[in-house]
Amino acid sequence: MKNSNYILAIFTVLLFSACSEDTIDALGTGSIVGTVVEEGSNEPIQNVRISTNPASSTVFTDESGNFLLEDISEGDYSIEARKEGLLTQFEGATVRTNTEVSVIFELQPESVNNRLPEVPRPSFPEDNATDVAIPVQFTWSSGDPDGDALVYELELRNSANNDIRTFSNITDTTYTVSDLNYGYKYFWQVKVSDSVNNPVLSPVYAFQTSELSGGRYLYVKQMQNNNVIFSSNGEGNEIQLTSSNVNSFRPRRSSTTNKIAFLRSVGGRTQLFTMNADGTNQFQVTSSIPVNGYDLEKVDFSWANDGTTLVYPNFGDLYRVNVTGGGTQKIYNTPNGKFITAVDVSEDDSTIALLINDPNGYNGSIYTISPDGEFQNSVISGVDGALGGIDLSVDNR
């Protein structure tokens, strides 16, 4: 009986010891260390939120992309790495008592799964359309499979020169351009961006604008004590281009751009203006240095450089100005206090013809200079009276 009690006591002690060891093991802890980098470049990512499931502590990565989760009860965990702008990633880990588990995250941008916008489909003007009226309302269609906000860019080229016009930050699928040239062939393309992926381009479409009707001739009429510019096709179709409320005169058309330059009285000065062939988009070119001479009824100017600049006189000085209103440059000054009354630039921009006279309009002479203001040839000189009207021939002779 004593032996039985002894054996029972030993068994009880062993059982108690076994139970005590299981409890200690259940409360054991370990740690999780890891690094978060950018997939592909392996650059460390800072301030990534690291958490576990089942929940334990939450930490953020340091500037080297490293993190440490300490005193984690042993068991199986799903570790989450989360940061705005990056795809959330999960990694599994098994924690054991007094052990350190290492985990590496390679995160990707959220855009990695973002799909491209649809290729823009131009609808107007149709490809190779002709006789397209100005202004032109360009129309196209597109969309985004992820519902991203889209921004468009319209690019226009023409067959006459190397000019490229770009219209950006368009949020609609239509855009109207009013200042196109008549009778020009244009090429247009639409670019769409979802601000995530690279922009997507549409096919290139071509079209030709209509010819200006009723605009072969330019002339001036007096209305309400002002000069008013008109155009006509010579068959009775007359178009008033400028208002009768302002004094506008001396219209000169650019054969390259079909734009019309003219003179207008503004605040007691005579300034250069431009407009479209139908009278729209009137724009003041000169400002601080106006057009001037001994008699504004006779002073004339000229287009130059394929319609990109204008050359005009201001008493004895000759100026060149961009049609956009900038880049004013003095290119010539007459000797002996003479005035420049008229100027004509050759089609190839190699020669400028000048009509010169004294402040009273007499002692006239005509000669040519280079675009840089260098004297070339004398045509007429020593005339006591007045000279009027110059026009270079096509061959500059």
Side-chain angles (χ1 to χ4, degrees):
M1 184 68 180
K2 289 181 180 179
N3 290 338
S4 298
N5 290 335
Y6 179 72
I7 293 170
L8 179 59
I10 293 174
F11 178 75
T12 300
V13 171
L14 291 174
L15 179 62
F16 179 80
S17 299
C19 292
S20 298
E21 289 176 2
D22 286 343
T23 301
I24 293 172
D25 288 343
L27 296 176
T29 61
S31 59
I32 303 172
V33 297
T35 303
V36 183
V37 298
E38 182 181 305
E39 186 181 85
S41 69
N42 291 326
E43 290 292 324
I45 305 176
Q46 188 177 6
N47 292 327
V48 179
R49 181 180 182 273
I50 306 296
S51 59
T52 65
N53 186 19
S56 61
S57 58
T58 298
V59 297
F60 290 85
T61 58
D62 61 18
E63 60 184 10
S64 299
N66 298 321
F67 65 90
L68 171 63
L69 295 167
E70 296 182 291
D71 299 324
I72 307 297
S73 298
E74 72 170 32
D76 295 327
Y77 291 87
S78 174
I79 308 170
E80 178 188 71
R82 177 188 297 273
K83 185 175 183 180
E84 185 176 353
L86 300 172
L87 287 178
T88 300
Q89 188 174 332
F90 297 88
E91 292 289 343
T94 300
V95 177
R96 292 288 180 258
T97 301
N98 297 325
T99 61
E100 186 177 82
V101 181
S102 180
V103 179
I104 296 178
F105 289 95
E106 294 181 308
L107 300 188
Q108 297 175 306
E110 282 183 339
S111 61
V112 71
N113 293 325
N114 190 279
R115 291 167 290 180
L116 291 169
E118 297 175 7
V119 175
R121 296 178 296 277
S123 54
F124 186 85
E126 296 180 357
D127 196 19
N128 295 319
T130 58
D131 199 28
V132 176
I134 299 173
V136 178
Q137 185 180 59
F138 295 89
T139 306
W140 60 90
S141 60
S142 184
D144 189 88
D146 299 304
D148 297 328
L150 299 180
V151 177
Y152 300 96
E153 181 178 284
L154 170 64
E155 184 177 281
L156 274 177
R157 301 169 182 258
N158 65 72
S159 59
N161 52 53
N162 295 321
D163 289 347
I164 301 175
R165 301 183 63 187
T166 302
F167 306 92
S168 304
N169 299 318
I170 304 171
T171 56
D172 200 358
T173 54
T174 63
Y175 192 83
T176 300
V177 181
S178 58
D179 56 345
L180 298 180
N181 293 318
Y182 287 88
Y184 266 44
K185 184 174 184 178
Y186 285 93
F187 304 91
W188 68 291
Q189 186 176 37
V190 175
K191 180 191 297 183
V192 60
S193 172
D194 61 0
S195 300
V196 178
N197 298 284
N198 292 328
V200 178
L201 296 173
S202 75
V204 177
Y205 274 23
F207 68 95
Q208 184 151 353
T209 54
S210 59
E211 299 289 342
L212 177 67
S213 59
R216 184 177 180 185
Y217 301 98
L218 295 172
Y219 49 94
V220 172
K221 291 183 179 182
Q222 279 204 337
M223 300 174 62
Q224 300 179 19
N225 296 320
N226 284 319
N227 292 308
V228 181
I229 301 173
F230 285 80
S231 70
S232 173
N233 62 0
E235 298 176 359
N237 297 325
E238 185 177 71
I239 302 174
Q240 181 176 333
L241 301 182
T242 60
S243 169
S244 58
N245 295 322
V246 290
N247 187 45
S248 306
F249 57 103
R250 197 83 74 251
R252 298 286 182 260
R253 190 197 312 275
S254 166
S255 59
T256 303
T257 66
N258 207 31
K259 287 268 192 177
I260 298 171
F262 60 98
L263 300 180
R264 172 172 288 173
S265 302
V266 180
R269 291 182 162 192
T270 301
Q271 305 286 4
L272 267 171
F273 279 71
T274 61
M275 61 182 170
N276 294 334
D278 60 357
T280 59
N281 196 32
Q282 296 184 15
F283 174 75
Q284 182 174 336
V285 177
T286 56
S287 179
S288 59
I289 305 176
V291 179
N292 221 329
Y294 90 99
D295 186 351
L296 287 172
E297 290 295 323
K298 296 179 173 60
V299 168
D300 205 352
F301 61 91
S302 179
W303 285 95
N305 299 306
D306 291 329
T308 61
T309 63
L310 290 161
V311 177
Y312 70 96
N314 180 284
F315 295 116
D317 297 325
L318 186 68
Y319 289 92
R320 180 186 293 113
V321 61
N322 297 332
V323 293
T324 55
T328 303
Q329 177 187 11
K330 183 164 72 172
I331 57 178
Y332 184 71
N333 176 260
T334 58
N336 304 321
K338 294 292 186 71
F339 288 178
I340 302 171
T341 294
V343 55
D344 188 41
V345 182
S346 65
E347 289 291 333
D348 63 1
D349 296 302
S350 65
T351 301
I352 301 176
L354 299 177
L355 190 157
I356 310 296
N357 46 251
D358 64 23
N360 297 314
Y362 301 113
N363 296 316
S365 61
I366 297 174
Y367 55 85
T368 61
I369 62 173
S370 72
D372 296 327
E374 295 294 328
F375 180 85
Q376 290 181 333
N377 296 299
S378 175
V379 180
I380 299 175
S381 62
V383 176
D384 292 334
L387 297 171
I390 56 172
D391 190 10
L392 278 163
S393 62
V394 175
D395 58 7
N396 299 337
R397 298 178 64 187

